[in-house]
Amino acid sequence: MEQIEQMKQIKQDGLKKLTEKSRLLSQCSLFQGIEPVVINEMLNCLEPKSCRYKKNDTIALAGEPFESIGVLLKGEALVIKETAAGHRSMMALLRPGDLFGEIVVFSKNSAWPATVIAQEESQALFISRRKLTGQCEQSCTWHRTIIENMLRIISEKAMMLNKKVEYLTIKSMRGKLSTFFLEQHRKAGTTTFRLPMKRNELADFLNVSRPSMSREMARMREEGLIDFHLETVRIINAEALRDMGE
Amino acid sequence: MEQIEQMKQIKQDGLKKLTEKSRLLSQCSLFQGIEPVVINEMLNCLEPKSCRYKKNDTIALAGEPFESIGVLLKGEALVIKETAAGHRSMMALLRPGDLFGEIVVFSKNSAWPATVIAQEESQALFISRRKLTGQCEQSCTWHRTIIENMLRIISEKAMMLNKKVEYLTIKSMRGKLSTFFLEQHRKAGTTTFRLPMKRNELADFLNVSRPSMSREMARMREEGLIDFHLETVRIINAEALRDMGE
DNA sequence: AAAAATCGGTAGCCATGGCTACCGAAACGT
DNA sequence: ACGTTTCGGTAGCCATGGCTACCGATTTTT
């Protein structure tokens, strides 16, 4: 009798786990717009590999061949790029629900371009490229959704990179700042707006040094182009800023 | 009798045109791996809009909403980015078979990010996003191929942009050159290789000025890191180069 | 073959911006 | 409330690299 109760418990735990997993996945951009219940069915068809990692374990190693997209389910992981000299630079911090390897899965060159390392005890899911595009006989409805999601995700990544290239291509400090401020202004719709990043992060985004950036912002204030205090920026002479954009 | 002959002729001309179009499309990355004959069938289902343009006509205008991917069939077109100041910069030159708008079709923000202008008498094909992902009842086989192509195309674009960002992020001249030379070396497999671009283009790619680049290359030669003559470059001290990569 | 255009190398000038160092203010942790 | 950390501003030094100008070589045009 006790045994039966125990088994029921195990089964319940299993179900709870499954629903927890699909609930987590329903938050993930790859499964956007799909009900957790449906995700459960899909997983049977997608046959994902689930892997657990301890702290400092290597989840993916740059250069290794691969054919799967990764989803971080639990924990925290770092995406790291190593230069030939062995110098490491952090590229991204992954949190539960984040994808990795999404750019590379569908390109010809199927080797991890970066290394992913678990920062704490983590769990990741890998879905193979074939399962993702492959049409299983039944339930093609959600398959279509997942492919549309995939297309959207990669497109948005490309758009983001494109924007980044635009900023990096601008040579002068003032040009970068002007372009950035005007973009924020356009987004906010008001002449006064708040910067979405700290100075350090902004300098990093524009690929300039923080002190040099502050210096230039001060100059622009002196010249009556903008005014600012901490995160708050007000555009005074929009025309002049526009003339700086390259 | 004569009328019948005439009609036959017209029909033949139509067929010739169709096969010419599909022959052209079979060269296009979007239809890679699909037989021209099959492409003909597909076109019925994809319902592309075909448009003709005269020289200097606007094929697509930045900011305008859109939902279609473009294929240049005939002629030549420029992709142009206009800054707020009205300053124009060329982004790409399109030739027959080239796609445009491929990054944006599947992103949420569906507005042309750049302007496309015909440089000569041209013809372009537009295929709507829905038709591209939509599954028509029959012939899902090639539909799958076209979606896989689409995924590959966007992924590769993202990879390319990613690589570009990597180069642009390197701050020092020497770092950029070292990284570039090492990459060429890796690709070629030999210590001596030929540069795939002219100096002007390389300087442009690395986002530096041509004379400064030449100067730095000369210095690197003096220091015994590399040797070069025109397009031919030989790596002498690979280790030292590696240490420069940021 | 002459003229023009393109291409690559070199030199000198100097503006831009990176870097270190330091300071005060704010935010955070305990 | 206190110490600690993070954040932003400022200053001075000077290396990096942009820019113009010029030259010779090669290629293309006519």
Side-chain angles (χ1 to χ4, degrees):
Chain A
M1 282 298 147
E2 221 176 76
Q3 280 188 1
I4 292 176
E5 280 306 306
Q6 218 174 343
M7 279 176 69
K8 269 191 187 170
Q9 192 57 44
I10 289 172
K11 202 176 172 188
Q12 281 234 336
D13 284 359
L15 264 173
K16 208 186 275 177
K17 248 189 202 167
L18 262 180
T19 45
E20 197 189 318
K21 187 190 268 187
S22 39
R23 198 180 45 74
L24 241 161
L25 285 178
S26 75
Q27 304 291 329
C28 170
S29 53
L30 187 55
F31 293 93
Q32 202 181 86
I34 303 176
E35 295 294 319
V37 193
V38 183
I39 294 178
N40 253 340
E41 295 171 28
M42 295 169 64
L43 289 179
N44 290 328
C45 178
L46 288 174
E47 294 174 19
K49 283 181 209 160
S50 184
C51 302
R52 292 174 175 282
Y53 303 92
K54 280 179 247 159
K55 189 174 174 179
N56 292 327
D57 274 4
T58 304
I59 300 181
L61 187 62
E64 293 288 302
F66 85 119
E67 287 245 317
S68 300
I69 192 173
V71 187
L72 193 69
L73 281 183
K74 229 174 67 186
E76 205 166 77
L78 271 185
V79 184
I80 284 175
K81 183 93 191 176
E82 309 204 39
T83 60
H87 195 86
R88 291 181 166 189
S89 74
M90 194 191 74
M91 305 216 61
L93 174 65
L94 300 178
R95 317 194 129 277
D98 287 346
L99 291 177
F100 55 97
E102 76 272 22
I103 305 185
V104 207
V105 224
F106 295 106
S107 79
K108 279 180 188 171
N109 166 29
S110 285
W112 288 96
T115 299
V116 183
I117 291 176
Q119 288 301 99
E120 49 184 74
E121 195 170 324
S122 303
Q123 191 182 351
L125 215 64
F126 293 90
I127 303 171
S128 90
R129 163 189 180 153
R130 298 195 177 197
K131 293 290 175 185
L132 227 44
T133 57
Q135 268 127 330
C136 66
E137 294 67 35
Q138 347 83 306
S139 53
C140 268
T141 349
W142 55 257
H143 225 126
R144 184 178 160 172
T145 311
I146 217 173
I147 282 173
E148 281 181 5
N149 281 346
M150 201 62 226
L151 281 167
R152 199 196 59 243
I153 290 165
I154 305 183
S155 290
E156 235 124 69
K157 187 98 181 185
M159 295 273 286
M160 193 264 285
L161 287 168
N162 202 48
K163 179 120 288 177
K164 197 160 185 177
V165 167
E166 275 179 33
Y167 275 108
L168 290 174
T169 307
I170 301 173
K171 279 175 182 164
S172 75
M173 181 95 236
R174 187 165 287 205
K176 292 184 187 203
L177 284 171
S178 301
T179 311
F180 186 78
F181 290 153
L182 283 174
E183 177 134 345
Q184 294 305 312
H185 161 56
R186 200 177 51 74
K187 272 188 189 167
T190 49
T191 50
T192 307
F193 51 85
R194 316 192 110 233
L195 295 178
M197 316 182 213
K198 310 217 177 272
R199 290 288 188 279
N200 246 328
E201 298 165 323
L202 180 54
D204 207 60
F205 176 69
L206 300 178
N207 203 33
V208 295
S209 85
R210 209 240 334 142
S212 300
M213 192 182 75
S214 275
R215 181 210 288 154
E216 189 60 34
M217 283 178 66
R219 272 189 211 149
M220 291 169 78
R221 174 161 55 188
E222 274 171 35
E223 294 178 29
L225 300 177
I226 58 170
D227 193 12
F228 68 93
H229 178 70
L230 297 179
E231 328 164 73
T232 318
V233 176
R234 184 164 59 96
I235 289 185
I236 299 178
N237 191 341
E239 274 313 304
L241 289 184
R242 269 186 256 284
D243 290 342
M244 298 312 308
E246 206 172 357
Chain B
M1 286 299 150
E2 220 177 77
Q3 280 186 2
I4 292 176
E5 279 305 307
Q6 217 172 341
M7 279 174 70
K8 271 190 185 168
Q9 190 57 45
I10 288 173
K11 204 175 172 188
Q12 283 235 335
D13 283 0
L15 264 173
K16 208 186 276 177
K17 248 188 200 165
L18 264 179
T19 45
E20 197 188 319
K21 188 190 268 188
S22 40
R23 197 180 44 75
L24 242 160
L25 285 177
S26 74
Q27 304 291 329
C28 170
S29 52
L30 187 55
F31 295 92
Q32 201 180 90
I34 304 176
E35 294 294 318
V37 194
V38 184
I39 294 178
N40 254 341
E41 295 170 28
M42 296 170 62
L43 289 179
N44 291 328
C45 178
L46 289 174
E47 295 175 17
K49 284 180 207 161
S50 184
C51 301
R52 292 175 175 280
Y53 303 91
K54 280 179 248 160
K55 187 175 175 178
N56 291 328
D57 274 2
T58 304
I59 300 181
L61 187 61
E64 293 287 303
F66 86 118
E67 287 244 317
S68 300
I69 193 174
V71 187
L72 192 70
L73 281 182
K74 229 174 65 184
E76 203 166 79
L78 270 186
V79 184
I80 286 175
K81 185 92 190 177
E82 309 205 37
T83 60
H87 194 86
R88 290 181 166 188
S89 75
M90 194 189 75
M91 304 217 60
L93 174 66
L94 301 178
R95 315 194 131 277
D98 287 346
L99 291 177
F100 54 97
E102 75 272 21
I103 305 185
V104 207
V105 224
F106 295 107
S107 80
K108 279 181 187 170
N109 166 28
S110 285
W112 288 95
T115 299
V116 183
I117 291 176
Q119 288 300 99
E120 50 184 71
E121 194 169 325
S122 303
Q123 191 182 351
L125 216 62
F126 294 90
I127 304 171
S128 91
R129 164 189 179 152
R130 300 196 175 193
K131 293 291 175 185
L132 227 43
T133 57
Q135 267 125 329
C136 67
E137 294 68 34
Q138 348 81 307
S139 53
C140 268
T141 348
W142 54 259
H143 225 127
R144 184 178 160 173
T145 311
I146 217 173
I147 282 174
E148 280 180 7
N149 281 346
M150 202 62 225
L151 281 167
R152 199 195 61 243
I153 290 165
I154 305 183
S155 291
E156 234 125 69
K157 187 99 182 183
M159 295 274 286
M160 194 263 288
L161 286 168
N162 203 48
K163 180 119 289 180
K164 198 161 184 175
V165 167
E166 274 178 35
Y167 275 109
L168 289 174
T169 307
I170 301 173
K171 278 174 182 163
S172 75
M173 180 95 239
R174 187 166 288 204
K176 292 185 189 204
L177 284 171
S178 300
T179 311
F180 186 78
F181 290 153
L182 283 174
E183 176 134 346
Q184 294 305 311
H185 160 56
R186 199 176 49 76
K187 273 188 190 168
T190 48
T191 50
T192 307
F193 50 86
R194 319 192 107 232
L195 294 178
M197 316 181 213
K198 308 215 176 273
R199 290 288 189 279
N200 247 328
E201 298 164 324
L202 181 54
D204 208 59
F205 176 69
L206 300 178
N207 203 33
V208 295
S209 86
R210 207 235 342 138
S212 301
M213 192 182 75
S214 275
R215 181 211 289 155
E216 190 60 33
M217 283 178 66
R219 275 189 210 147
M220 291 169 78
R221 175 161 53 189
E222 274 171 35
E223 295 178 28
L225 300 177
I226 58 169
D227 194 13
F228 68 94
H229 178 70
L230 297 178
E231 327 163 74
T232 316
V233 176
R234 183 165 59 95
I235 289 185
I236 298 178
N237 190 341
E239 274 313 305
L241 290 184
R242 270 186 256 282
D243 290 342
M244 299 311 308
E246 206 170 356

